[in-house]
């Protein structure tokens, strides 16, 4: 009998619809000669979808945001005994919190941008996590201008702003707070944006070709990601030695965090081809325009076989 696979999508964040598009991509690529496949759309308040997951042999999680990217769904699947595609509760919770994840990885010698973390004050504004002043002048003093202000938990660039003037700081913080209760203010790093996907099974480690991200927009925002306002060059126009370091660094991050399935790590290459971590994505996008499918094709691999690798690694 074929194994029953649930592609779990949707979720409770602004990325709900993006997640469904990823699910459609994965559904097209999973080998139907081996598996029976359904898309299960999780929506807030609809517990019937969660209950349905008990009927499946495996869950391919492609929720971008809560509850599939932050460990909540993973904990539920662990409790009901259904194996799944991505990392477990701890790694999911850590990587979902961009600030905590980046500073944790900094302890292992990974370079990151200077940043500070703000938390909602419950009154529409924000304060430093230690309770200190979060005025525009204080934020600029800490991270400089230009800077990026974004949600600590959101994705797809929702609520993210490149800030160039002190007058724009507080409106950017307020915009980010609409995506979650914590906000990162991060120094701008001038350089080349690149991203690298990897996955591991019990038998092999695979690093995909690196993608270079070139956009005329202020940064790699929602329109660049999903509306074609970007050039995504795979393989990236970087020296082979830099490519090798990027791939090795991404596989090392995979091990440090204890990941599973496919992850994608985003970087900025600054002067001298210095690697600077932007963020780790443990449920990367799988839409028609997403990086991972591009990188799989550039590697000369069959994405259906890659997904089979990931599923069978957990069903053994």
């Amino acid at each position: 009998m074929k194994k029953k696979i649930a592609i779990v999508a949707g979720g409770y964040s602004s990325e709900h619809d993006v997640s469904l598009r990823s699910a459609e991509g994965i559904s097209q690529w999973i080998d139907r000669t081996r598996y029976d496949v359904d898309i299960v759309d999780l929506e807030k308040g609809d517990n019937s979808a969660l209950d349905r997951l008990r009927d499946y042999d495996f869950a391919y999680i492609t929720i971008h945001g809560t509850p599939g990217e932050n460990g909540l769904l993973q904990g539920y699947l662990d409790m009901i005994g259904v194996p799944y595609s991505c990392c477990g509760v701890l790694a999911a919770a850590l990587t979902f919190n961009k600030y905590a994840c980046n500073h944790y990885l900094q302890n292992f010698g990974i370079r990151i941008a200077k940043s500070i973390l703000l938390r909602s004050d419950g009154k529409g504004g924000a304060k430093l996590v230690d309770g200190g002043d979060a005025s525009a002048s204080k934020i600029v003093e800490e991270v400089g201008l230009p800077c990026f202000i974004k949600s600590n938990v959101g994705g797809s660039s929702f609520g993210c702003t490149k800030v160039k003037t002190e007058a724009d700081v507080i409106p950017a913080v307020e915009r980010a707070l609409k995506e979650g209760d914590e906000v990162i203010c991060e120094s701008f790093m001038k350089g080349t944006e690149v991203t690298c996907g990897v996955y591991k099974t019990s038998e092999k480690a695979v690093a995909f070709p690196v993608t270079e991200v070139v956009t005329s927009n202020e940064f790699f925002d929602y329109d660049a990601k999903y509306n074609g306002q970007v050039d995504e060059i795979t393989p990236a126009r970087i020296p082979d030695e830099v490519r090798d370091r990027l791939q090795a660094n991404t596989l090392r991050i995979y091990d440090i965090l204890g990941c599973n399935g496919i992850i994608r790590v985003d970087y900025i290459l600054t002067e001298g081809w210095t690697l600077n971590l932007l963020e780790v994505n443990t449920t990367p996008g799988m839409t028609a325009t997403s990086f991972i499918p591009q990188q799989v094709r550039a590697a000369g691999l069959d994405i259906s076989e890659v997904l089979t690798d990931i599923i069978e690694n957990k069903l053994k």
Side-chain angles (χ1 to χ4, degrees):
M1 290 180 62
K2 295 180 183 178
K3 296 290 188 180
K4 295 179 64 178
I5 307 296
I7 302 172
V8 191
Y12 311 155
S13 77
S14 299
E15 296 181 275
H16 178 277
D17 292 348
V18 175
S19 170
L20 291 178
R21 287 157 60 186
S22 286
E24 290 169 4
I26 294 167
S27 179
Q28 293 172 8
W29 296 319
I30 288 182
D31 186 350
R32 298 305 180 101
T33 68
R34 302 178 65 121
Y35 311 111
D36 288 326
V37 180
D38 294 314
I39 294 175
V40 178
D41 182 0
L42 292 191
E43 295 190 4
K44 199 163 189 177
D46 182 8
N47 292 329
S48 63
L50 285 173
D51 293 338
R52 285 173 55 200
L53 295 179
R54 297 175 182 271
D55 299 328
Y56 291 90
D57 299 299
F58 182 88
Y60 199 106
I61 299 174
T62 189
I63 292 175
H64 312 314
T66 187
E69 200 171 4
N70 59 357
L72 297 181
L73 180 58
Q74 288 86 340
Y76 175 73
L77 292 170
D78 285 340
M79 291 175 67
I80 64 174
V82 175
Y84 49 87
S85 56
C86 55
C87 60
V89 173
L90 178 59
L94 177 58
T95 54
F96 190 63
N97 187 308
K98 299 180 183 74
Y99 184 88
C101 182
N102 284 14
H103 283 79
Y104 174 73
L105 289 171
Q106 187 180 38
N107 293 323
F108 294 87
I110 307 295
R111 290 176 58 93
I112 64 172
K114 183 176 182 181
S115 61
I116 58 173
L117 183 65
L118 312 181
R119 192 167 288 146
S120 170
D121 61 8
K123 303 173 184 177
K127 58 186 177 182
L128 299 179
V129 289
D130 63 2
D133 173 36
S135 65
S137 59
K138 175 65 174 178
I139 292 169
V140 171
E141 178 187 339
E142 291 291 330
V143 300
L145 289 173
C147 67
F148 283 100
I149 295 180
K150 59 188 179 181
S151 170
N152 192 33
V153 296
S156 295
S157 298
F158 287 113
C160 181
T161 307
K162 183 178 180 181
V163 175
K164 297 181 177 180
T165 69
E166 187 172 309
D168 291 332
V169 167
I170 298 305
V173 170
E174 292 170 350
R175 191 174 302 117
L177 283 172
K178 293 178 181 178
E179 299 298 320
D181 289 338
E182 292 188 344
V183 174
I184 302 175
C185 304
E186 190 172 74
S187 295
F188 171 73
M189 295 182 290
K190 182 177 176 59
T192 302
E193 184 168 351
V194 293
T195 186
C196 180
V198 302
Y199 78 98
K200 289 190 175 187
T201 69
S202 59
E203 299 175 351
K204 60 186 174 182
V206 179
F208 301 133
V210 176
T211 299
E212 179 183 350
V213 182
V214 182
T215 179
S216 58
N217 295 5
E218 282 289 350
F219 63 99
F220 192 43
D221 59 12
Y222 184 91
D223 283 332
K225 289 180 179 178
Y226 302 111
N227 294 327
Q229 297 175 12
V230 67
D231 289 323
E232 298 168 1
I233 303 165
T234 309
R237 300 169 298 182
I238 57 177
D240 290 351
E241 178 272 331
V242 179
R243 174 204 63 205
D244 293 346
R245 279 197 290 123
L246 271 164
Q247 292 174 326
N249 198 67
T250 305
L251 288 167
R252 180 168 176 254
I253 287 173
Y254 192 104
D255 288 339
I256 291 169
L257 296 173
C259 294
N260 278 295
I262 299 172
I263 73 165
R264 199 192 78 233
V265 181
D266 302 337
Y267 302 89
I268 290 286
L269 296 173
T270 51
E271 187 176 357
W273 301 113
T274 301
L275 275 60
N276 301 270
L277 173 67
L278 287 178
E279 64 179 79
V280 179
N281 301 276
T282 57
T283 57
M286 296 289 278
T287 71
T289 60
S290 296
F291 291 120
I292 294 299
Q294 294 179 45
Q295 293 177 2
V296 171
R297 289 192 296 270
L301 300 174
D302 184 328
I303 195 164
S304 178
E305 293 178 2
V306 170
L307 297 179
T308 297
D309 273 353
I310 290 166
I311 294 167
E312 290 300 314
N313 188 59
K314 286 296 201 71
L315 289 178
K316 290 178 181 177

